[in-house]
Amino acid sequence: MAAVHKLIEELGRQGALKAAETDADRRAVEAAIAYMSDEEAGIGFLYSGWCQAALPHKRLADDAVWKVQTERVTLVVEPGRRNLAGDDTAFCGVPFGSRARLILLYLQSEALRTNSRDIELGRSLHAWLGRLGIPIGGKSFKDVREQADRLSRCRLTFHVQQGGRAGLMNQNIVDAAMFVDDDSAQGSLFVETARLSETFFEQLRKHPVPLEEAAIRAISNNSQALDIYCWLAYRLHVLPQARTVSWPALYAQFGSSYKKLAHFKMRFVDSLKVATAVYREAEVELESKGLVLKPSRPPIAPKLISAVGSPTTRVQPVGG
C-alpha cells in the first residue's frame, strides 16, 4: 500500500493533496508528507504485547474494565481508585486515546534507553511530547495529566498463548504515582520520576518492538492508526510467508469500540491508509476476507540495538 508515496513523488505535495478523493485519502497524504519531510532521527520502543492488544480509543465509564482478546494475547485493564475525603474512594477510569499511548511509548522508550526502571518526568516528558508536536498547555496539558494519572493507577493483565505454553503478566504499569494533586502550579504536578513495575520492565527488556519516532510524530493524534502501525511493525518482518487475517479477527483485535463489524471495517480501512503512509515498507493488501499480510522489512533494521542502553537489547517477538 505504498501508492500514496508514489503519488506524492509523481504529483508533488500539493498535487497529491488535490488528487485525494476522500477525507481518509487526504489524511493519508498529509501523514505521508509529514513523515517523508521529517529529518529528525529517533527510535521508540513498545512492549510487544501492546502491539497485539491496545487501550480503548474513547473514554469508558470510570468503573468499566477493558478487555481485548485476540488469537494469541488477552489484555485486561482494570481501573484504579483515587482517594477522596474521609473513607471514600472513586474509580478514575482506564487510560484511553492517543495521549495515553504516547505516554506509554515514552515510558518504555526511556526505560530501555537508560536501562532503568526509574523514568524522569516533568521537563523530559514535556520535551518528548513537544518533539511529537503535542503542545503542553491548556487542555492538552490537562489531557496528558489525566491519562498519566489513569496509567499510574490502573492494573493490567497480559495473558499470552504460544503453542502449548501460556504466560501471565498481572501487574501495575508503574510502582509510583506519576502526578501529585497540587494544583498550585503546573510544574509541581509532575513527580521527579516514575518507576516501572519490575515485571513489566523485564518483559519489555525481553520483548521490545522498535518504532520510528518520525512515524509516531506524523500520526500522533490518531489512536487507531498508531495501533495498526505498531501491530504491522511487530508482525510483518517475522512472517515466513503471506498470511490473511480475517475481518472477524481484525474486529476482535481493533474493533472493541465498535458495535457493528460494518462500521469497524470503514474506520479500519481509513486508519490502515494512514498507518501505511508512515510505514512505506509495509506490504499489505485488502481483500474481501480480510487483510493479507506479506513479509516486509521492519521500520527499524532488525539487528542488535545497542543505543537503548546497556546491556544490549535484542528485539524478540512474543506470542507469535
Side-chain angles (χ1 to χ4, degrees):
M1 296 187 69
V4 64
H5 305 100
K6 294 180 181 178
L7 191 67
I8 294 170
E9 291 168 352
E10 292 174 359
L11 302 180
R13 298 180 182 183
Q14 292 303 316
L17 287 169
K18 291 180 180 179
E21 297 180 355
T22 65
D23 289 342
D25 291 338
R26 184 177 182 86
R27 286 192 293 270
V29 171
E30 290 172 342
I33 290 172
Y35 171 71
M36 294 169 70
S37 61
D38 196 321
E39 297 181 354
E40 291 189 32
I43 302 175
F45 292 89
L46 201 63
Y47 166 58
S48 59
W50 286 116
C51 296
Q52 302 173 75
L55 296 169
H57 300 294
K58 298 180 180 179
R59 180 189 297 270
L60 306 180
D62 285 347
D63 61 348
V65 175
W66 174 252
K67 180 178 179 180
V68 177
Q69 186 168 358
T70 70
E71 181 182 354
R72 298 175 178 84
V73 172
T74 299
L75 168 66
V76 178
V77 183
E78 302 172 72
R81 288 179 178 269
R82 185 181 295 111
N83 289 325
L84 301 178
D87 297 329
D88 293 337
T89 63
F91 285 108
C92 61
V94 300
F96 65 92
S98 61
R99 298 296 185 264
R101 287 160 169 79
L102 296 178
I103 296 169
L104 264 179
L105 180 61
Y106 168 78
L107 289 172
Q108 294 169 81
S109 300
E110 283 295 291
L112 288 186
R113 186 183 67 82
T114 61
N115 194 34
S116 172
R117 291 168 56 199
D118 294 319
I119 313 302
E120 182 183 353
L121 294 171
R123 291 182 180 178
S124 293
L125 177 58
H126 279 186
W128 188 80
L129 291 173
R131 291 206 310 272
L132 295 182
I134 306 299
I136 298 299
K139 182 180 183 301
S140 180
F141 181 84
K142 182 180 178 181
D143 290 344
V144 169
R145 182 194 174 195
E146 177 188 358
Q147 295 308 317
D149 184 65
R150 287 169 177 246
L151 283 167
S152 70
R153 299 177 191 273
C154 74
R155 187 170 182 83
L156 64 89
T157 301
F158 271 110
H159 186 277
V160 181
Q161 185 74 37
Q162 188 171 16
R165 298 186 301 169
L168 180 69
M169 184 174 72
N170 190 2
Q171 186 64 272
N172 289 358
I173 297 174
V174 299
D175 285 344
M178 299 171 66
F179 289 85
V180 295
D181 294 326
D182 180 9
D183 289 319
S184 59
Q186 283 190 355
S188 65
L189 290 172
F190 286 89
V191 296
E192 290 183 352
T193 61
R195 171 166 288 187
L196 291 184
S197 68
E198 185 173 0
T199 302
F200 184 71
F201 181 58
E202 287 305 312
Q203 288 300 309
L204 171 63
R205 293 188 68 195
K206 291 178 181 178
H207 308 291
V209 176
L211 307 168
E212 266 195 294
E213 200 171 279
I216 299 297
R217 185 161 34 246
I219 60 175
S220 60
N221 287 317
N222 189 327
S223 61
Q224 188 171 71
L226 285 168
D227 291 347
I228 296 172
Y229 168 77
C230 294
W231 175 60
L232 294 177
Y234 164 71
R235 287 298 305 275
L236 294 182
H237 73 99
V238 297
L239 288 174
Q241 59 189 20
R243 177 173 181 180
T244 299
V245 183
S246 69
W247 281 114
L250 292 169
Y251 185 44
Q253 181 169 348
F254 297 103
S256 297
S257 299
Y258 300 89
K259 293 182 178 180
K260 295 183 178 181
L261 176 59
H263 295 163
F264 162 72
K265 280 186 177 181
M266 291 187 294
R267 290 298 301 273
F268 179 84
V269 170
D270 290 349
S271 296
L272 179 66
K273 292 178 181 179
V274 176
T276 53
V278 298
Y279 183 2
R280 186 167 186 168
E281 295 81 6
E283 295 288 341
V284 297
E285 183 179 347
L286 286 165
E287 60 176 27
S288 60
K289 294 181 179 179
L291 181 67
V292 180
L293 305 181
K294 302 178 182 180
S296 309
R297 291 194 305 171
I300 306 297
K303 60 183 178 180
L304 288 176
I305 301 173
S306 57
V308 298
S310 180
T312 299
T313 302
R314 183 184 293 274
V315 179
Q316 298 182 44
V318 61

